[in-house]
């Protein structure tokens, strides 16, 4: 059950299938709002989630599954094998742009990241890896990442955090090389993994965090809760993700800004 | 000299050449700062500018050329045929990510847009068109754009405008479908032209504006100075670019926010 190669093969098989379906037909019939008017779910999010969950249930009958659109299947502890599934991350982009959205699966054992995979659907790219196996894009190992200063780093801050003018993130942006906002955690993860940006701060759900965190571990990318509590893969939390130097500097800038 | 087909062929020829060179070798040797530490120029910006300007001078000996890296070649009036050239738009992205940068040429006659072309280098796509000829991507006509409300629109605001917490743009972002920030005017133009986003507000230089404005005219995209002065293709200005309904609503939101 915990055979890493089998897990990797199954996760990549279902995500590749989903990617190809979405590329062939990136349309949807219904779109509904969830927590707010910009938090969307389409029939495709739901259908793809069902497809992934059914597949994983068949292959891993004793595992538990946490997935975005059916969070009501409560998982209250981290024991054993858990799959965290985001069928379409960046649903607003899927609906409005038909690009810059991702599908993600993270695999954890007793709360420890084992494996993750992220597909950038419209770029037709599959990122995957884990702490023991390294990080890959389409079978090619991802290059080791440089460790630039904050001044040399591109940063993404979740837009719900930016919209507060009192937010302590503006001094950080001013000290960086610039802000980028893509509207999909999965897309930001792919850019972090490729060294195309260095910092990501956002309030993230377990399924936004799980796959990227597992792959990032192989590249030395730091992932931590911003209030310094240990990460909890069962709840939403404010996290900072980034290369080492830039993350250390960013946390200092935020902490100074919060003192003022 | 003003033969549109000849102009189109020459502009597309040199931009395609530049695109292929940059795709084959997206490297640079030197990088310098200009107006501030995040305003970059590399030897590639300079070399490509020289290549484009030399080409246009040979093909259009009596035309005048305004280009990003040699703005000191002052053009003080809009008479006759003018080419506006941005060799690499999004130099920070070129330097840090090797993607999401563009090359652009706009062609104006007596201040009126005639033709524009934008190449998204790493996506290998050429957008071009003008008020008389329509708008195209890689020889295919671009589809007519829907005209959604602001609430249904994705918006980009230049980050230098966002960094001011007093800026009147936050109410606008809150009323939209969300903020996107890409770090390249050219990339935002390609997304507007495809209907992937609806509003763009930024302080733009003539070479950031020229090509996109000419193509956008064919799709009914509004381009206006935000202080209501007529657009001036010889100076930097604060502009709003967007589909009709969303632009009208956005201007109302900004004007209300400025009154408070």
């Amino acid at each position: 059950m915990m055979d890493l190669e089998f897990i990797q093969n199954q996760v990549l098989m279902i995500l590749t299938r989903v990617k190809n379906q979405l590329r062939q037909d990136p349309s949807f019939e219904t779109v509904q709002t969830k927590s707010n008017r910009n938090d969307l779910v389409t029939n495709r999010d739901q259908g793809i989630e069902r497809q992934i969950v059914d597949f994983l249930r068949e292959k891993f009958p004793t595992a538990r599954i946490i997935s975005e659109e059916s969070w009501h299947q409560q998982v209250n502890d981290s024991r054993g094998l858990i799959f965290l599934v985001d069928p379409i991350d960046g649903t607003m982009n899927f609906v409005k742009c038909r690009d810059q959205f991702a599908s993600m699966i993270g695999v954890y054992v007793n709360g420890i990241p084992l494996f993750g995979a992220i597909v950038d659907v419209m770029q037709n790219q599959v990122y995957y890896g884990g702490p023991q196996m390294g990080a890959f894009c389409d079978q090619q190992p991802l290059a080791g990442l440089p460790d630039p200063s904050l001044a040399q780093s591109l940063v993404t801050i979740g837009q719900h955090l930016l919209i507060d003018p009192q937010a302590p993130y503006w001094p950080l942006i001013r000290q960086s090389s610039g802000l980028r906002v893509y509207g999909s955690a999965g897309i930001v993860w792919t850019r972090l993994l490729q060294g195309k940006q260095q910092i990501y701060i956002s309030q993230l759900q377990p399924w936004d965090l799980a796959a990227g965190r597992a792959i990032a571990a192989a590249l030395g990318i730091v992932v931590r809760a911003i209030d310094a509590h240990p990460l909890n893969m069962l709840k939403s939390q404010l996290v900072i993700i980034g290369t080492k130097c830039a993350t250390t500097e960013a946390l200092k800038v935020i902490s100074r800004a919060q003192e003022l």
Side-chain angles (χ1 to χ4, degrees), chain A:
Chain A
M1 187 182 93
M2 310 263 186
D3 176 338
L4 177 54
E5 198 182 324
F6 181 72
I7 289 172
Q8 173 185 328
N9 289 343
Q10 301 308 312
V11 168
L12 292 181
M13 183 185 299
I14 185 65
L15 280 183
T16 302
R17 195 179 297 167
V18 160
K19 166 174 75 65
N20 293 341
Q21 285 170 12
L22 280 167
R23 288 176 60 78
Q24 211 167 1
D25 174 17
S27 71
F28 56 90
E29 274 127 48
T30 63
V31 52
Q32 292 169 281
T33 58
K34 297 190 291 182
S35 63
N36 64 65
R37 70 175 182 80
N38 286 335
D39 185 13
L40 306 181
V41 58
T42 73
N43 64 305
R44 295 302 293 281
D45 300 69
Q46 291 163 332
I48 287 166
E49 174 168 303
R50 209 169 313 125
Q51 189 182 352
I52 295 175
V53 168
D54 287 350
F55 178 92
L56 294 175
R57 285 226 169 98
E58 195 202 316
K59 304 291 180 185
F60 305 95
T62 62
R64 291 182 295 168
I65 300 171
I66 296 173
S67 55
E68 180 173 13
E69 310 307 343
S70 56
W71 174 242
H72 55 279
Q73 295 178 351
Q74 202 72 39
V75 174
N76 292 316
D77 65 82
S78 302
R79 275 178 300 112
L81 183 62
I82 298 184
F83 290 85
L84 297 104
V85 177
D86 195 342
I88 298 182
D89 176 76
T91 302
M92 179 64 82
N93 287 346
F94 172 65
V95 168
K96 301 251 182 248
C97 325
R98 309 283 166 103
D99 71 0
Q100 302 202 333
F101 57 92
S103 298
M104 308 196 274
I105 300 179
V107 190
Y108 284 65
V109 177
N110 298 324
I112 309 291
L114 179 71
F115 180 75
I118 301 173
V119 298
D120 179 338
V121 174
M122 299 316 282
Q123 292 290 320
N124 203 11
Q125 284 174 322
V126 184
Y127 296 83
Y128 62 94
Q132 302 160 38
M133 62 180 290
F136 300 82
C137 176
D138 295 335
Q139 274 83 54
Q140 296 301 311
L142 287 167
L145 297 176
D147 193 16
S149 66
L150 177 59
Q152 295 296 323
S153 294
L154 290 172
V155 306
T156 292
I157 314 279
Q159 43 179 321
H160 44 286
L161 298 176
L162 288 176
I163 272 177
D164 170 13
Q166 303 303 319
Y169 306 109
W170 290 106
L172 189 163
I173 295 167
R174 273 183 224 111
Q175 292 180 45
S176 77
S177 281
L179 174 69
R180 299 292 180 269
V181 180
Y182 297 106
S184 157
I187 297 302
V188 178
W189 274 116
T190 67
R191 298 187 72 80
L192 289 162
L193 295 170
Q194 294 173 88
K196 291 184 174 182
Q197 69 171 72
Q198 286 69 37
I199 293 282
Y200 181 28
I201 296 174
S202 193
Q203 181 77 28
L204 293 183
Q205 297 286 351
W207 45 83
D208 294 324
L209 194 54
R213 183 187 172 199
I215 312 170
L219 295 172
I221 293 174
V222 177
V223 183
R224 48 173 286 192
I226 226 162
D227 57 5
H229 289 153
L231 280 175
N232 180 338
M233 295 310 289
L234 301 174
K235 66 178 185 77
S236 166
Q237 61 217 299
L238 182 60
V239 295
I240 181 165
I241 299 161
T243 46
K244 283 204 183 73
C245 281
T247 302
T248 305
E249 281 185 74
L251 285 168
K252 277 187 201 152
V253 175
I254 294 168
S255 130
R256 262 199 308 273
Q258 281 169 329
E259 279 164 20
L260 296 179

